[in-house]
Amino acid sequence: MTSESRCPPRRFADASASPGREEDAGVSVCVAVPRVVHRGSPSPSLFCICTGSCDGGPEEDQRRSQSFEPVVMNPFDGSASPRREETDGGDSRCPWSRFSSWLECVCVVTFDLEIGIVSVKTSICYLSFPDSYSGCLGDTQFSFRLRQSVGRRALKFRDDVYNQDAPVTLQREVSHFFGYVYFRQVKDVSVKRGYFQKSLVLVSRLPYTHLFHSLLQIIAPEFFEKLEPCLEAVCNEIDQWPSPVPGLTLNLPVMGVVLQVRIPSKTDKPGGSPVKQNLLPAPTLLPTIHELDLFKCFQSVLIHLQMLWELVLLGEPVVVMAPSPTISSETVLALVSSINPLKFCCDFRPYFTIHDSEFREYTTRTQAPPNVVLGVTNPFFIKTFQSWPHIIRMGEIRMVKVKKLSKLKTLDTKPGIYTAYKTFLHKDKILIKRLLKGIQRKRPSEVQSAILRRHLLELTQSFIIPLERYMASLMPLQRSVTPWKTPPQIRPFSQDEFMSTLDHTGPQLTSVLKGDWMGLYRKFFRSPNFDGWYRQRHKEMTQKLESLHLEVICDADLLSWTKDKSEVEIVDLILKLREKLIKARRQQLQVKDGVLDKLDTFINSIIRSLPEDLQTVLNTH
């Protein structure tokens, strides 16, 4: 993109693509997106589905129209003023800053059966449509997740503030985008081949699956009737929403409806009910912004739930083959959420197509399958992924069996779980019996899901609590933190030492499940999920030590310490304290109120005790 995009505001392109088979699909898209300018960056960065630059006047517009290249709708007025979110906290005076705190952009993707391929670079276009084998008529909703383009600089949001208070499973993605799709395919005699096919897509870094699909249910039907003016009004309404702040209940007005949601916080009790606050007379209350109907997703694999939980916990390569992108995406997202509150640290793609930029990377047979959970619908993948160790083939809602991988060969393969995996833990027969009895008694799906979610939560907590307890024992004692020395180091994690603690403090204290817990831990230590969990906990503990060190420094008498010290030692102290202060503010360390201001005052007091020439140098520095 050039430094000054001359696309006028509210400009849309006609979209074009061909449905048929995925291999033939040509697509185009128009995007509603605020311009983003990186601070200190010489040029703006636009997240848009665009085959060329966005420069040019009417002549350029005419050329694009003839070549069917997508054009960007830019709500800006053409000024290239820097984005001030980092400094003003998302003040509403900064154009589109509130919109950007929820969404990256809003895309409209349309099939045109006569055009053919427009651009194979835009993965989002192909991910926005079911493939031809799904047979989706009417309205269909599903989700996808795609990697940020290689070389595209990660945007600096208010992520440090939001992510610091959000649960790890709901933090903003840094290197991936989520797409929430509302696809409509209906008969239309005005179209040459008889079908209207269009998708409205919300692209965000937030994993708010339930919220964004609920939003699409409100705006998409209206959009398909009124098109661009409706979408423009919705974008302006979203730009008036308050930013998502963990722990707060927010009212989000859109198209005459008020959605009331609570943004989860990491301080929430796991599995606890959110606080309900009716701030307006009659808002539409969403009980969750992210949770799925787990029972609906797992109904056909209930008796194998223990196996699926272990596969996800261990980060094993899993392919979900489903008849539609809806079932594919919901199943993948349900699998990933089954180990909450532990973050799934591998890659996952709720809906994956042969046009995805990672297609070759994930389908190569020259190396072992990657640690990823993929959701697919194209039968082409049956042959492509037949060497993968774990394949879940979804079908009708009935119990499926575990089968040998060698049976996954033909296109008419029956639903089932194709794997040679042997579980470490035994099945929870009481849970299965309870859920099956619920099916017989026609217990509501929400109740069945609550039972499932509680079971999975308790199972994951039983597994994680011993690790958390051991990790806490590696933390230095608080009394070992002194103002005159660097903070003590966290002891290294010893797998053998941890395993020796399991006899007395293992999962058997909180879980009734029997089995080889030690074998499960040993394999978990080799998974990306352990690496991600350990890195996060180590980072939190290191920041805690830094916070304690700052507090003891502020409680010390620094001025008295400097009286018998040389100027070189005093200057060295000032520089180190300044470095700690800058680091603490940048990382937003959790310290007692007034600690950072007190340290700043200390530094200024010490500087004033030095000769004037040194004061001038240090103040200038």
Side-chain angles (χ1 to χ4, degrees), residues 184-195:
R184 173 167 289 184
Q185 177 172 258
V186 293
K187 288 186 177 181
D188 186 347
V189 294
S190 66
V191 179
K192 188 168 184 179
R193 295 194 184 180
Y195 282 94

Side-chain angles (χ1 to χ4, degrees), residues 288-447:
T288 175
I289 60 173
H290 65 287
E291 291 176 345
L292 299 166
D293 186 341
L294 285 186
F295 177 71
K296 175 185 171 185
C297 299
F298 289 142
Q299 186 170 350
S300 61
V301 293
L302 280 179
I303 59 177
H304 309 299
L305 192 63
Q306 179 60 44
M307 173 191 288
L308 298 179
W309 177 83
E310 288 188 19
L311 292 177
V312 176
L313 179 74
L314 300 175
E316 288 285 311
V318 176
V319 175
V320 175
M321 295 182 176
S324 72
T326 302
I327 296 175
S328 163
S329 60
E330 288 182 349
T331 303
V332 170
L333 292 173
L335 286 170
V336 168
S337 70
S338 68
I339 61 171
N340 285 352
L342 184 67
K343 183 177 182 179
F344 185 72
C345 296
C346 309
D347 196 3
F348 63 96
R349 303 302 172 90
Y351 179 49
F352 187 77
T353 76
I354 62 174
H355 298 286
D356 198 288
S357 57
E358 284 79 48
F359 173 74
R360 289 188 179 181
E361 176 186 340
Y362 287 161
T363 57
T364 178
R365 297 189 182 185
T366 59
Q367 57 190 24
N371 302 98
V372 60
V373 179
L374 297 179
V376 301
T377 59
N378 194 328
F380 168 82
F381 286 112
I382 293 179
K383 183 177 180 181
T384 305
F385 287 132
Q386 64 182 0
S387 62
W388 277 46
H390 319 292
I391 299 171
I392 305 170
R393 185 156 173 78
M394 307 295 288
E396 298 176 9
I397 300 179
R398 60 183 181 182
M399 294 301 168
V400 300
K401 298 179 180 180
V402 174
K403 304 179 181 182
K404 294 181 180 179
L405 281 166
S406 58
K407 294 184 178 181
L408 188 75
K409 291 182 178 179
T410 60
L411 293 180
D412 59 350
T413 302
K414 294 180 180 180
I417 301 177
Y418 295 81
T419 180
Y421 181 82
K422 302 297 182 183
T423 59
F424 289 93
L425 306 180
H426 303 316
K427 293 178 182 178
D428 191 332
K429 294 181 179 179
I430 297 175
L431 171 77
I432 295 172
K433 188 180 295 184
R434 185 182 179 191
L435 291 171
L436 293 178
K437 188 175 290 185
I439 295 175
Q440 294 173 352
R441 296 179 178 179
K442 297 183 178 179
R443 184 184 291 148
S445 183
E446 308 86 66
V447 179

Side-chain angles (χ1 to χ4, degrees), residues 163-176:
N163 285 354
Q164 190 173 46
D165 297 326
V168 291
T169 54
L170 291 181
Q171 291 178 350
R172 274 196 182 98
E173 291 269 3
V174 175
S175 56
H176 290 81

